[in-house]
């Protein structure tokens, strides 16, 4: 007997959750699971990993299956896709040359493919209308211009909607200052477009421009997608609808806004970056489908957790170079310096610090000299690296010493009033390119001291 999942339940299952998009094979796996359980195969073109896990749990299956059989591994999925298309191409070729009627049969197979593709797009449009949240409720008070609401499931006529009782306002047109430096909020980490943007329906013109510039032109009846789009996060303290509003802009054009909840979470680090005279930059993934009379779009941006965007402390004075972000390296003997680390553990329990790395010589009992890496915070020792790990970084520190530079790196601090842990994130010497070495020094961004409030210039304009 098939399960029945109501539209209300689907709206809960597909609620925006800020997780990374599911891969093609993961989406297909979930669709097949739903088809077996309910007898109906949904489209789920915009499925995220969090939504996929909720759906599998609803069906009584383990979310761990999302990563089974190589699903979610880009290299394996690419190989699988190539194999699928290769087999399909061979099948069509065999059918075409097998008999005089083979060409017509092959044409029929291709026509069926396009028909199924169109049916899935139509199904997705229905799911967006019936299962996705209303565009007005998704915006949660962020001002967007002239927002036209899609007809609901009962096919009521579309209406113009104002937000929080206010009349629609024209899009933001004030350009960002071109001479400011860029602060990439990922700090060199892998950039996953994990945070949903809201209000995209009001900025279709800018979204189309961004897609075309990324060589993904928008064509009626087809979906377009572009990843790695460079965008800017702009705080709008003068926004008449939300003083915490943060817009997502591409070449000074608004693509949408962070939700009200996310804007509150990210307000402090984003405002600190902007108040320091820098541009808060990240990457975005843009998807759009042009149905002819309107554009459906989805924008997601790559954002780490708020407490891991900007360091709690300031960069030391003098000539320094910031080592690129690398895999996690445990700092040893930090428990011996808890009296120093205690003062840097934030109330949230987790934060980011700028530490300096130093080449130090230890004299063993037999008189042998053994170099190792010492970690210092604001000039005070807070730990060291193991002999094996030190060996991966010492050549880089020797290079910075010869160049007269101090090596800085990011470190994640976590703890409480009882203990603290320090994890270094620095690239190994073998991971550093010659171009990076010759282009130094790579100074750490100069940020204002940590504060509860920052003076951010007005950015919302009619």
């Amino acid at each position: 007997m098939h399960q029945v999942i109501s539209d209300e339940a689907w709206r809960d299952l597909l609620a925006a959750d800020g997780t990374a998009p599911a891969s093609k094979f993961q989406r297909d796996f979930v669709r097949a699971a739903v088809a077996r359980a309910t007898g109906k195969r949904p489209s789920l073109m915009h499925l995220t990993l969090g939504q996929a896990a909720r759906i599998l749990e609803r069906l009584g299956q383990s979310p761990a299956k999302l990563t089974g059989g190589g699903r979610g591994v880009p290299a394996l999925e690419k190989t699988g896709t190539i194999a699928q298309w290769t087999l399909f191409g061979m099948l069509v070729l065999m059918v075409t040359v097998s008999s005089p009627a083979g060409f017509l049969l092959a044409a029929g197979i291709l026509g069926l493919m396009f028909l199924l593709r169109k049916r899935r797009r139509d199904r997705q449009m229905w799911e967006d209308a019936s299962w996705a949240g209303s565009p007005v409720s998704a915006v949660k008070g962020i001002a967007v211009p002239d927002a036209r609401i899609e007809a609901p499931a009962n096919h009521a006529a579309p209406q113009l909607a104002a937000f929080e009782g206010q009349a629609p306002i024209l899009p933001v047109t004030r350009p960002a200052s071109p001479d400011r430096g860029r602060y990439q909020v990922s700090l060199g980490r892998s950039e996953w477009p994990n945070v949903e943007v809201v209000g995209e329906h009001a900025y279709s013109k800018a979204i189309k421009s961004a897609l075309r510039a990324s060589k993904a032109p928008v064509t009626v009846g087809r979906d377009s997608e572009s990843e790695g789009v460079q965008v800017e996060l702009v705080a709008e303290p003068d926004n008449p609808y939300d003083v915490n509003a943060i817009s997502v802009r591409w070449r000074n054009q608004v693509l949408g806004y962070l939700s009200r909840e996310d804007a509150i979470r990210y307000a402090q680090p984003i405002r600190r970056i902007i108040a320091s005279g820098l541009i808060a930059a990240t990457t975005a993934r843009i998807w759009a489908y042009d149905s002819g009379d309107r554009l459906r779009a989805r924008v997601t941006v790559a954002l780490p957790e708020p407490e891991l965007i900007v360091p709690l402390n300031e960069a030391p004075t003098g000539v320094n170079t910031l080592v690129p972000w690398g895999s996690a390296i445990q700092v040893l003997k930090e428990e011996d310096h808890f009296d120093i680390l205690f003062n840097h553990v934030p109330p949230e329990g987790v934060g980011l610090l700028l530490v300096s790395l130093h080449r130090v010589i230890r004299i063993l009992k037999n008189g042998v000299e053994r170099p190792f890496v010492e970690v210092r915070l604001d000039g005070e020792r807070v730990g060291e690296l193991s002999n094996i790990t030190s060996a991966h970084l010492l050549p880089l520190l020797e290079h910075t010493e010869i160049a007269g530079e101090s090596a800085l790196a990011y470190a994640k601090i976590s703890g409480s009033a009882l203990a603290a842990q320090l994890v270094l994130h620095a690239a190994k010497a073998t991971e550093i390119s010659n171009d990076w070495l010759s282009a130094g020094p790579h100074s750490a961004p100069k940020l204002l001291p940590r504060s509860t409030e920052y003076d951010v210039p007005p950015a919302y304009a009619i």
Side-chain angles (χ1 to χ4, degrees), residues 81-259:
T81 301
I82 293 174
Q84 285 182 345
W85 282 106
T86 300
L87 292 174
F88 177 76
M90 293 175 62
L91 175 63
V92 172
L93 181 61
M94 292 172 59
V95 170
T96 303
V97 301
S98 62
S99 66
F103 180 79
L104 294 178
L105 180 58
I109 294 175
L110 293 175
L112 178 62
M113 283 185 57
F114 284 110
L115 176 62
L116 293 175
R117 182 68 175 172
K118 182 179 184 303
R119 288 184 60 185
R120 184 176 180 187
R121 290 197 190 106
D122 293 341
R123 168 75 188 188
Q124 185 63 50
M125 293 180 65
W126 181 89
E127 291 176 8
D128 290 339
S130 303
W131 294 349
S134 163
V136 175
S137 63
V139 174
K140 300 183 185 298
I142 299 296
V144 296
D146 200 25
R148 188 170 295 276
I149 305 307
E150 182 181 6
N154 61 2
H155 303 293
Q159 298 179 346
L160 288 178
F163 296 84
E164 295 188 352
Q166 300 292 334
I169 293 180
L170 296 178
V172 175
T173 56
R174 179 179 296 163
S177 174
D179 56 354
R180 291 185 294 157
R182 296 177 68 84
Y183 186 100
Q184 205 72 18
V185 298
S186 66
L187 303 179
R189 287 164 286 201
S190 298
E191 296 184 318
W192 286 93
N194 58 324
V195 176
E196 295 282 347
V197 173
V198 300
E200 302 100 315
H201 55 281
Y203 303 102
S204 57
K205 183 177 179 181
I207 290 174
K208 287 182 178 180
S209 297
L211 285 169
R212 292 189 181 108
S214 302
K215 298 182 180 180
V218 180
T219 305
V220 176
R222 299 185 61 183
D223 54 357
S224 299
E225 182 179 349
S226 181
E227 296 185 2
V229 180
Q230 291 292 323
V231 294
E232 175 186 351
L233 301 170
V234 180
E236 300 179 359
D238 55 333
N239 188 297
Y241 299 93
D242 184 2
V243 295
N244 294 313
I246 298 177
S247 60
V248 178
R249 306 188 188 187
W250 172 82
R251 296 183 183 177
N252 303 329
Q253 301 179 63
V254 174
L255 303 179
Y257 283 80
L258 297 188
S259 68

Side-chain angles (χ1 to χ4, degrees), residues 142 242 244-246 258-268:
I142 299 296
D242 184 2
N244 294 313
I246 298 177
L258 297 188
S259 68
R260 181 181 291 272
E261 292 81 1
D262 284 335
I264 294 174
R265 293 178 62 225
Y266 287 98
Q268 201 267 356

